[in-house]
Amino acid sequence: MRELVVLGTASQVPTRQRNHNGYLLRWDGAGLLFDPGEGTQRQMLYAGVSAASITCICITHFHGDHCLGLPGVLGRLNLDRVEHVVDVCFPAEDSNYYERLSRIVPRNPDPGLRAHPVPGDGPIPLPRAPFRLDAVALSHRVATFGYRLTEPDGRRMLPEKLAAFDIAGPDVGRLQREGALRLADGRTVTLDEVSTVRRGQRFAFAMDTRMCSGVEELAQDADMLVIESTFLDADAALAHEFGHLTAAEAARAAEAAGVRTLVLTHFSQRYADLDGHRAEASKFFHGELVVAEDLMRVPMPARR
């Protein structure tokens, strides 16, 4: 199963309808929790998400609405006696905040946490992860990183091509492993002749940033982009001053980057409803547009 579970969609101030940030990406057997804001543990209960499903926690920056739920989540991992190591990624520049937050709640050391302070752009080494996770610097008022998950490309076997060469059974697996197969008549068939590239899926997460090259890099060819749209264009000057995006800016960036599913979130409390965000984004983005709501589930789009 690959889906986004939205735990909270508020920005700095929560509302009666919007909890602070929290997003769980379910990716087959992995569970990546992004920006656990205050109340995330309770939202997980409402969403039917267990602590045991979390394998990695990614914090974009250390403003309260993106990290104050971390102690509660770590406490729950401990209480539920989660038996696997949980990787935690965060800006290295503000490691002292991580140390304080992670020590608030007493916890058993094993299997424990594996910290990944992020010093700059580049891959984050997650042992045995079936995907690549990259950090990309963004433009906010404090050190901030977005995250991009990339699945390696695979191959899709073409039954009609296999049949034409009379390849079946164990020979199919041998061809996949070795890249070529010598037939009984002396011919050699390569993997390229009987298969096509199956493009790996890509997911991107961008919070609390002005428009910058980092947003463009994260969004490029993403199957799903989860991105803040704190303000509307009428408040663009305010958005830039405080290091945020408008719905129109997020939509234009997604359209230019070829994003398939755009998920807008992190809404200012000044907007009682989000009709304006949908209308504004729809002018510029022509893929699947999702204006996130708390406890919503958004499936990854089908492969191309």
Side-chain angles (χ1 to χ4, degrees):
M1 178 180 292
R2 295 182 180 182
E3 67 174 0
L4 177 75
V5 182
V6 180
L7 302 173
T9 59
S11 57
Q12 188 174 20
V13 179
T15 71
R16 287 186 173 88
Q17 292 77 35
R18 303 176 206 145
N19 196 73
H20 271 154
N21 288 282
Y23 312 86
L24 181 78
L25 176 65
R26 302 176 67 179
W27 189 277
D28 301 337
L32 292 86
L33 177 62
F34 294 89
D35 281 3
E38 185 179 350
T40 292
Q41 181 186 179
R42 189 163 186 263
Q43 293 295 94
M44 288 169 55
L45 178 65
Y46 281 128
V49 173
S50 71
S53 67
I54 300 172
T55 58
C56 182
I57 300 173
C58 298
I59 298 173
T60 59
H61 66 294
F62 285 101
H63 279 162
D65 52 322
H66 297 262
C67 69
L68 285 182
L70 181 62
V73 171
L74 297 185
R76 189 56 182 267
L77 292 171
N78 183 72
L79 180 65
D80 290 357
R81 299 187 180 277
V82 170
E83 296 180 352
H84 56 260
V85 174
V86 174
D87 294 284
V88 187
C89 312
F90 53 89
E93 182 176 324
D94 290 326
S95 293
N96 58 319
Y97 292 116
Y98 169 71
E99 293 299 327
R100 294 170 187 170
L101 287 168
S102 65
R103 295 175 187 274
I104 288 176
V105 180
R107 53 184 173 82
N108 296 324
D110 296 321
L113 308 175
R114 184 162 44 216
H116 298 273
V118 177
D121 291 6
I124 299 170
L126 300 182
R128 296 180 298 281
F131 49 76
R132 170 173 168 154
L133 183 65
D134 284 273
V136 178
L138 296 172
S139 174
H140 194 42
R141 292 174 290 161
V142 298
T144 303
F145 289 92
Y147 296 95
R148 180 178 170 91
L149 184 154
T150 305
E151 179 184 32
D153 291 341
R155 306 291 303 189
R156 182 170 66 86
M157 305 304 287
L158 302 173
E160 66 278 9
K161 297 288 187 180
L162 292 170
F165 289 104
D166 197 25
I167 301 173
D171 284 341
V172 176
R174 188 175 302 114
L175 177 56
Q176 289 175 311
R177 292 191 302 272
E178 299 176 7
L181 181 70
R182 188 175 180 83
L183 303 181
D185 61 8
R187 290 180 298 167
T188 297
V189 178
T190 66
L191 185 60
D192 287 342
E193 292 179 87
V194 295
S195 67
T196 186
V197 173
R198 185 187 67 180
R199 180 181 178 275
Q201 290 191 308
R202 304 171 189 186
F203 171 89
F205 185 84
M207 286 291 133
D208 285 34
T209 181
R210 304 173 184 87
M211 186 52 62
C212 62
S213 60
V215 172
E216 298 169 353
E217 182 178 345
L218 287 165
Q220 190 60 48
D221 297 322
D223 292 284
M224 180 183 290
L225 170 65
V226 180
I227 189 168
E228 70 127 305
S229 53
T230 309
F231 295 97
L232 294 175
D233 250 4
D235 298 310
L238 195 61
H240 185 79
E241 178 184 354
F242 287 98
H244 288 290
L245 295 173
T246 68
E249 287 177 319
R252 283 194 291 263
E255 182 72 15
V259 170
R260 299 177 64 200
T261 298
L262 172 62
V263 181
L264 300 181
T265 186
H266 194 273
F267 307 114
S268 169
Q269 75 276 12
R270 70 183 57 228
Y271 305 109
D273 64 65
L274 302 173
D275 292 342
H277 287 72
R278 181 178 297 279
E280 192 166 282
S282 296
K283 295 177 184 177
F284 305 102
F285 181 72
H286 301 99
E288 180 187 7
L289 174 63
V290 177
V291 179
E293 298 177 4
D294 286 24
L295 308 182
M296 173 184 283
R297 291 173 181 261
V298 186
M300 285 288 294
R303 294 185 183 276
R304 295 181 188 273

